[in-house]
Amino acid sequence: MDEVEDYLVEDPYPLQAHLGYRITGWSQDWARFEMPIRPYLENRHGIPHGGIYSVLLDTVMGYAGCYTGDPERKAMGMTLSLTTTFLSRPVGRLLIAEGRRVGGGRSTFFAEGRITDETGEDIATGSGVFRYRKGV
């Protein structure tokens, strides 16, 4: 899959910087983010908290629908609905989230996402409905 062009990579926003995830691929209708598993992301069972998967899926699906290829012409989306399905626990130490825009129109779009780890273990899936933000 495509990687992300350096000129499209934005500085991490505070939540992104705190949690430690980064964009590693972005093109039309597709995005990929990666997050190393750190102890502060884990729940009392020693695995990432389910909210971490939801954050990654929300982010990657939103980006998948907002690619323009032009940093001067940003598209921004806000989540209207998000569903997360938990499948397994990670075997490895790197979460890899991929999202795809699967439909929509001028004001809303639909996306699907999947999280695996570096071993290929399926961790979680998601689907969402997003609205393009006006005036951004």
Side-chain angles (χ1 to χ4, degrees):
M1 239 339 137
D2 297 339
E3 299 302 318
V4 61
E5 299 292 339
D6 288 341
Y7 64 89
L8 294 176
V9 177
E10 301 169 3
D11 290 335
Y13 50 91
L15 177 68
Q16 180 183 0
H18 178 70
L19 294 179
Y21 57 94
R22 65 185 182 92
I23 191 166
T24 58
W26 198 19
S27 61
Q28 189 68 43
D29 298 333
W30 175 81
R32 182 181 60 233
F33 278 77
E34 296 181 1
M35 175 190 286
I37 299 173
R38 308 258 195 243
Y40 61 85
L41 301 174
E42 295 175 347
N43 62 22
R44 57 195 251 195
H45 300 290
I47 59 175
H49 187 281
I52 297 302
Y53 305 133
S54 295
V55 166
L56 273 177
L57 288 165
D58 188 31
T59 301
V60 77
M61 291 187 294
Y63 268 74
C66 290
Y67 180 84
T68 67
D70 180 355
E72 301 301 318
R73 192 175 55 89
K74 290 182 184 180
M76 305 287 270
M78 64 180 177
T79 309
L80 300 177
S81 173
L82 175 68
T83 301
T84 303
T85 303
F86 305 100
L87 304 173
S88 182
R89 64 177 62 198
V91 175
R93 298 301 297 169
L94 179 69
L95 299 176
I96 303 163
E98 289 197 38
R100 296 190 186 288
R101 180 184 183 276
V102 295
R106 288 189 319 202
S107 61
T108 60
F109 67 93
F110 307 94
E112 296 176 349
R114 174 171 296 276
I115 298 175
T116 61
D117 67 14
E118 77 274 19
T119 74
E121 183 75 17
D122 283 327
I123 309 299
T125 60
S127 61
V129 181
F130 302 82
R131 177 178 300 281
Y132 291 110
R133 293 189 60 191
K134 294 180 169 100
V136 179

